[in-house]
Amino acid sequence: MKIIFTIFAGSNETIMEPFIYIGLAILLVLGIFDIFVGVGNDAVNFMNSAIGSKAAKFKTILWIATVGLIFGAVSSAGMMEIARMGIFNPQYFSFENVMVIFLAVMLTDIVLLDAFNTIGFPTSTTVSVVFELLGASIVVAGFTIVQNDLPMNYLFNIDDVSQKVIGYLNWSKTKTIISGILISVFLAFTVGGIVMWFSRILFSFQYHKKLKITGVIWASVAMLSMGYFLIYKGLKSTYSTEKVTQSEIIDYYNSVNPGKKEVLNFDDNIIIKNVKGEEMSFTYKETLPETNEKVYTVFFGSPEIKKIIETIQDNMIIFLSALFLASLLFFVIYERRGGNPLKIVVFAGIFSLAMAFAGNDLVNFIGVPFAGFQAYDLYNAANLSAGGNLSPESYMMVGLKFPLQTPHLYLLLAGFFMVLALWFSKKIKTVSDTEVKLASQDETAEKFRSNILSRSIVEFSVKLSGTFSKILPTPLKEKINKQFTPLVAADDADAPAFDLVRASVNMAVASMLIALGTSLKLPLSTTYVTFMVAMGSSLADRAWGRESASYRIAGVFSVIGGWFFTAFSAFFTSAILALVLINFKLFGLIFIAAMVCLFILYTHIIHKRERLKKLQSEEVTNSIDLTTDKALSKTANQLASSLRNIGDAYSISIDGLLTENKDKIKNGHQIYMNLKSYYSDIKNNLFKAVKKSKLTEKQTAQLYILSNDMMQDILQSLELIIMACDNHVKNSHKPLSELQAESLRKIEHDLLLYLHNIAEYLEGHEFGTINDLKNVKRSLFDNIELSLSRQVEGVNQKAYGFKNTDLVMCLLLETKDLIAISVRFSKLLHRLIKGESPLGNRDK
């Protein structure tokens, strides 16, 4: 490894000041933008249960989350340990080095989170920041070790006092984070599933009938868990008491005031000034027996809130009992007045999770930029004290290890940007849609494809279920199945993906687990807990039936795989960027920043395109109307338009083939793709339309089904024609002979006329006049037969090779199928109007 670092560790003299100042400006911009991409991903943690259950309008959900975010940001103690010293030990790094680390981290974080938002995958911002810091720190530490000719084991040592080195990197923190990932995934999924199963046994899907007693008690218990959550994860973030040793105070003072000989008096209380000139008060706590060194504490935040929390902790049983009784009384009154207690639970969950998110996860977005500015403040103060003689390359960041609070004004501004991101980020719904679809009680258009692992799990589960089914007594099975029998799904598109029972379970269990993990000092990820609780509750609620289980399980594995991909990609990308920055400094920074801007622009275009496709799909869904008169008119007009488009795509592609113009063939393919997308949307949503139709509308349902099936056949022929043209031109095969080109031109002309006539008849609802097209159809078939005969003769005479024959045969045969199917639309509509069988094989 030392050889690797030595290769890149050559001196590269550049002007430092532009790199530092431009780097600080970029950190500021990246910090603001990181809030937008970070909130766009993490917002699903506290909003998805409300969104999926339709507990309130989307704007109402946003307002509740907004209040929680502002309260959490303003009341946060603003401690940024992970960014400053959680992963690397800053006393071994120069100011220049930490700037390289922070810039590599932020540039990576923007790209990574924006990519996950674009594809709609929820991931952990904590994990991304931790592994980005680790990747960049390893590269920078390796350079430092090589340049100072230190042993390479300094990179890996942990608390090796014998060698007077703590270690450049905090490996124990990394191991803790990784263990937290595994704990989060397993624990949240299991507990979420168990609690949901018992909750459904209590409520069934007819939960409105049980709100009076069961609902009130359950809501009170849920509020109890969220009250506990607010203490350990929400309100405790409003203050912080940090321990520092006597030597750490001296190191900080000397780092800010280099060259001063002033001796600090370590009494029971000591006051020093930070880089801003503000007084910091330290109180004596204890003396370490092994070193006889004094330990002091410094407090950040609100003393009043701390006293309240300490009082609650000292009287936890009394507090929880009072909270339960107060909740019980409130819900009894609220339910008697016609309210739904479960809605209040969901709203309380939004607020508490949003508050804890702003108070704790804010470090993931602004921690690194603020650490960069704190590093600059330390360097600037020391440089002024030393008379301007310090260089960023030599000034060590001892002071960055010291606990420093982020000013509340900055926290308030960060909270403001979080709220803006919550309201205006267009990618929030994309990320939210992933979890909601995976948790949906009803069948939906599945986002993920099944794989061998998901299919194997489903197959095993079916066998296991069958075994248990044989063991359980029949009356017990029937009683359990009755509780898990869902209500008939609503027909409207605005129907909830799951009910309020599941939404309240998701909120209560996630809050309880996060609070419990925090109190036990386990590093549970908020994203992982909330997502896996939702997946566990979905499984237990039988939302993953045999029709959807393999796709949903594959989706869960894909998201979990994305989490591990987050760690690996964050580590390696950040390491590579740090490698570029440490070698090329300002030029490397400008180049990387430009690439990041281009990447964000690209993902914005991709996301906008996908959103447009989704809107078009929704419009197609809404256009399905099974009312007989409207259906006939709409279908005829749409088929007429589609046939004209098919003719255009055919003509453009043939012209592109004969003129060897790839762009024309590409345009023809785009027309085909638009048609394919439209009819795929019809096919995917036809089931819902038929399900809510009346029996009297069964003929129009058949019209959609049969016309869509025929259109799929035509589009398949069109695709083969376009692909054959594209393959021939793309591979620069020999052009067709003049006779072949002339025959194709003739067929193309007649086909356009044929499709145009059919379209006119469809638009004019003249479905009985299709006999007029027989002559055109016969002429087309004659031309195709003549061209086939000539092709066979040419092959026999060795005038045409294999590639030529393969192309021409494909074009002629697929054109024949296209002609034969196109006229059937008029026949289909004609039979339906006359009340005959749509297939024409029987009487009414």
Side-chain angles (χ1 to χ4, degrees):
M1 181 173 284
K2 190 165 184 176
I3 295 173
I4 296 173
F5 287 117
T6 305
I7 293 173
F8 291 99
S11 63
N12 186 13
E13 296 296 331
T14 57
I15 301 173
M16 275 297 98
E17 283 193 4
F19 174 73
I20 296 298
Y21 291 123
I22 292 175
L24 288 170
I26 289 177
L27 278 180
L28 178 61
V29 174
L30 292 177
I32 295 172
F33 195 78
D34 202 40
I35 292 175
F36 276 84
V37 295
V39 172
N41 197 284
D42 274 359
V44 298
N45 297 336
F46 49 85
M47 293 192 348
N48 255 7
S49 291
I51 293 171
S53 63
K54 305 285 184 182
K57 293 181 179 179
F58 187 66
K59 283 191 176 181
T60 303
I61 296 170
L62 287 179
W63 277 116
I64 297 171
T66 295
V67 175
L69 286 177
I70 293 175
F71 193 86
V74 172
S75 59
S76 173
M79 302 307 295
M80 307 290 179
E81 281 86 354
I82 286 183
R84 292 187 295 104
M85 52 166 290
I87 303 302
F88 65 94
N89 295 311
Q91 62 269 34
Y92 298 113
F93 294 84
S94 68
F95 177 42
E96 175 198 322
N97 285 343
V98 296
M99 283 298 296
V100 168
I101 292 172
F102 293 154
L103 284 166
V105 167
M106 290 305 296
L107 289 164
T108 303
D109 205 51
I110 293 293
V111 169
L112 196 61
L113 293 181
D114 191 58
F116 272 91
N117 287 350
T118 302
I119 62 176
F121 269 37
T123 192
S124 172
T125 52
T126 302
V127 169
S128 64
V129 167
V130 166
F131 280 89
E132 285 154 6
L133 283 166
L134 184 62
S137 300
I138 283 181
V139 169
V140 175
F143 270 73
T144 305
I145 288 170
V146 169
Q147 287 177 339
N148 293 289
D149 198 27
L150 298 172
M152 207 61 193
N153 65 346
Y154 277 27
L155 189 64
F156 302 101
N157 277 348
I158 304 171
D159 298 327
D160 191 347
V161 180
S162 63
Q163 296 190 39
K164 295 182 180 180
V165 61
I166 298 175
Y168 277 80
L169 303 173
N170 192 343
W171 291 99
S172 59
K173 184 71 173 181
T174 307
K175 289 190 293 184
T176 305
I177 292 292
I178 295 173
S179 65
I181 295 175
L182 301 176
I183 292 172
S184 299
V185 170
F186 176 77
L187 190 65
F189 186 84
T190 305
V191 177
I194 293 171
V195 175
M196 184 66 240
W197 192 87
F198 282 106
S199 298
R200 190 58 73 190
I201 290 293
L202 283 173
F203 283 98
S204 80
F205 281 90
Q206 307 278 349
Y207 69 91
H208 287 94
K209 298 178 180 179
K210 298 190 176 182
L211 288 179
K212 190 172 184 178
I213 298 175
T214 308
V216 166
I217 294 174
W218 162 247
S220 301
V221 172
M223 292 298 287
L224 191 67
S225 71
M226 279 184 276
Y228 187 74
F229 168 82
L230 274 176
I231 292 172
Y232 276 104
K233 194 70 176 173
L235 293 176
K236 285 192 76 172
S237 67
T238 62
Y239 65 87
S240 176
T241 301
E242 304 293 325
K243 288 183 180 181
V244 290
T245 63
Q246 179 178 332
S247 59
E248 287 173 337
I249 296 175
I250 295 172
D251 288 341
Y252 175 76
Y253 182 82
N254 290 336
S255 70
V256 178
N257 304 283
K260 285 193 176 182
K261 303 299 182 181
E262 183 179 348
V263 178
L264 298 174
N265 295 317
F266 286 92
D267 299 323
D268 290 343
N269 289 287
I270 181 172
I271 296 175
I272 63 172
K273 290 184 178 181
N274 62 19
V275 291
K276 298 291 187 182
E278 302 164 339
E279 291 187 345
M280 298 177 66
S281 178
F282 299 86
T283 304
Y284 171 76
K285 182 173 180 61
E286 61 185 350
T287 300
L288 298 175
E290 59 272 14
T291 60
N292 203 33
E293 187 178 20
K294 291 183 178 181
V295 176
Y296 290 80
T297 59
V298 56
F299 178 77
F300 301 97
S302 171
E304 291 77 15
I305 294 181
K306 181 184 179 183
K307 288 179 182 178
I308 293 171
I309 298 301
E310 288 177 344
T311 303
I312 291 174
Q313 287 178 323
D314 292 339
N315 303 277
M316 183 60 76
I317 295 177
I318 296 173
F319 169 76
L320 293 178
S321 301
L323 178 61
F324 177 77
L325 292 174
S327 300
L328 190 64
L329 179 61
F330 169 78
F331 285 126
V332 166
I333 297 172
Y334 183 70
E335 196 277 333
R336 295 297 184 274
R337 290 178 170 271
N340 189 332
L342 300 182
K343 276 193 176 184
I344 302 299
V345 171
V346 175
F347 294 157
I350 297 171
F351 174 81
S352 58
L353 283 170
M355 176 188 164
F357 166 76
N360 292 271
D361 290 357
L362 194 62
V363 61
N364 300 334
F365 313 132
I366 67 170
V368 171
F370 276 121
F373 280 95
Q374 287 174 342
Y376 174 74
D377 287 338
L378 287 166
Y379 165 73
N380 193 46
N383 193 34
L384 290 172
S385 178
N389 296 321
L390 291 180
S391 68
E393 302 97 318
S394 61
Y395 179 70
M396 306 306 289
M397 298 308 302
V398 176
L400 204 59
K401 186 181 178 183
F402 208 67
L404 296 170
Q405 185 180 23
T406 305
H408 279 88
L409 176 61
Y410 297 157
L411 294 174
L412 181 61
L413 285 172
F416 172 73
F417 283 115
M418 289 175 81
V419 170
L420 287 180
L422 189 69
W423 280 85
F424 297 107
S425 175
K426 294 180 180 178
K427 295 184 180 180
I428 283 181
K429 288 187 177 181
T430 304
V431 182
S432 176
D433 187 58
T434 299
E435 183 177 322
V436 170
K437 280 195 171 183
L438 287 174
S440 176
Q441 194 73 39
D442 298 320
E443 292 180 49
T444 63
E446 301 295 343
K447 184 173 181 177
F448 299 92
R449 294 183 178 180
S450 64
N451 52 47
I452 188 169
L453 180 58
S454 67
R455 291 193 291 268
S456 300
I457 291 174
V458 172
E459 186 178 348
F460 173 76
S461 300
V462 169
K463 291 180 180 178
L464 187 64
S465 176
T467 303
F468 276 112
S469 182
K470 293 176 182 177
I471 296 173
L472 292 175
T474 302
L476 179 60
K477 281 191 297 183
E478 290 177 351
K479 191 171 183 180
I480 292 174
N481 289 334
K482 184 180 178 182
Q483 298 298 96
F484 281 89
T485 303
L487 300 175
V488 178
D491 293 332
D492 60 295
D494 233 15
F498 44 84
D499 64 13
L500 286 169
V501 174
R502 179 131 55 101
S504 61
V505 167
N506 290 346
M507 287 297 194
V509 173
S511 298
M512 178 187 69
L513 289 176
I514 295 169
L516 184 63
T518 303
S519 64
L520 297 175
K521 306 208 179 289
L522 294 174
L524 299 181
S525 165
T526 305
T527 299
Y528 299 161
V529 169
T530 52
F531 179 82
M532 293 309 296
V533 165
M535 296 303 101
S537 66
S538 301
L539 175 64
D541 209 20
R542 300 187 182 180
W544 298 356
R546 293 184 67 170
E547 298 299 317
S548 60
S550 60
Y551 308 104
R552 305 277 177 92
I553 293 172
V556 172
F557 281 130
S558 296
V559 173
I560 293 174
W563 296 344
F564 287 96
F565 178 76
T566 298
F568 287 111
S569 56
F571 178 88
F572 288 108
T573 305
S574 185
I576 292 170
L577 295 190
L579 195 64
V580 173
L581 290 173
I582 206 166
N583 276 282
F584 300 101
K585 300 299 187 302
L586 183 59
F587 298 108
L589 178 59
I590 293 172
F591 173 76
I592 294 171
M595 291 298 100
V596 169
C597 290
L598 290 175
F599 178 82
I600 292 170
L601 180 62
Y602 172 74
T603 58
H604 174 74
I605 294 171
I606 293 295
H607 186 258
K608 188 176 181 179
R609 189 181 301 163
E610 291 300 316
R611 283 181 65 244
L612 183 60
K613 283 184 181 179
K614 187 175 179 181
L615 289 173
Q616 290 172 342
S617 176
E618 290 173 358
E619 288 176 5
V620 171
T621 304
N622 296 331
S623 72
I624 299 176
D625 191 338
L626 298 181
T627 307
T628 305
D629 294 337
K630 292 181 180 179
L632 287 170
S633 177
K634 277 188 175 181
T635 304
N637 292 335
Q638 182 57 49
L639 290 173
S641 174
S642 298
L643 287 174
R644 284 197 170 92
N645 288 330
I646 288 168
D648 291 340
Y650 183 93
S651 178
I652 292 172
S653 300
I654 294 298
D655 190 49
L657 168 68
L658 299 180
T659 59
E660 298 188 81
N661 189 324
K662 288 186 286 187
D663 290 335
K664 286 188 175 181
I665 299 175
K666 186 176 180 181
N667 292 337
H669 185 261
Q670 185 58 53
I671 296 173
Y672 157 76
M673 288 302 297
N674 293 338
L675 287 167
K676 181 182 178 182
S677 176
Y678 176 85
Y679 285 99
S680 293
D681 289 336
I682 289 286
K683 182 180 179 180
N684 292 335
N685 293 284
L686 192 54
F687 171 74
K688 292 181 181 178
V690 173
K691 194 165 74 168
K692 67 180 182 181
S693 65
K694 301 173 184 177
L695 286 175
T696 55
E697 298 169 342
K698 64 178 181 179
Q699 279 194 320
T700 49
Q702 288 178 309
L703 167 63
Y704 272 104
I705 293 169
L706 293 173
S707 63
N708 191 279
D709 179 60
M710 286 189 283
M711 185 57 72
Q712 296 294 340
D713 290 341
I714 291 180
L715 291 176
Q716 183 179 8
S717 295
L718 180 64
E719 181 186 21
L720 291 172
I721 291 168
I722 294 172
M723 290 299 102
C725 294
D726 180 63
N727 184 65
H728 195 85
V729 174
K730 188 168 56 180
N731 289 291
S732 302
H733 294 316
K734 290 181 181 179
L736 301 183
S737 68
E738 290 185 11
L739 183 60
Q740 287 175 320
E742 184 182 342
S743 297
L744 276 180
R745 288 288 190 195
K746 173 63 176 170
I747 292 172
E748 175 201 342
H749 176 270
D750 291 348
L751 177 63
L752 285 178
L753 178 63
Y754 176 70
L755 294 178
H756 179 76
N757 288 338
I758 295 175
E760 282 192 337
Y761 288 143
L762 289 173
E763 288 172 339
H765 298 178
E766 300 174 19
F767 310 130
T769 58
I770 56 175
N771 291 331
D772 297 346
L773 298 172
K774 284 185 177 179
N775 292 332
V776 181
K777 180 180 177 183
R778 189 177 294 114
S779 174
L780 275 166
F781 279 167
D782 289 342
N783 286 334
I784 289 173
E785 287 180 9
L786 178 60
S787 297
L788 283 170
S789 176
R790 288 173 176 172
Q791 188 67 27
V792 171
E793 291 174 5
V795 171
N796 186 259
Q797 296 172 6
K798 298 183 181 180
Y800 304 131
F802 173 77
K803 297 298 182 185
N804 178 286
T805 303
D806 185 52
L807 170 68
V808 172
M809 289 295 188
C810 175
L811 295 180
L812 294 176
L813 294 175
E814 294 304 330
T815 301
K816 176 181 71 67
D817 291 342
L818 195 154
I819 294 166
I821 298 170
S822 298
V823 76
R824 295 178 190 170
F825 293 116
S826 287
K827 293 179 180 179
L828 173 65
L829 290 164
H830 182 62
R831 292 191 191 107
L832 284 171
I833 285 179
K834 292 176 66 177
E836 298 176 355
S837 164
L839 294 176
N841 63 340
R842 58 180 171 79
D843 293 332
K844 181 180 175 182

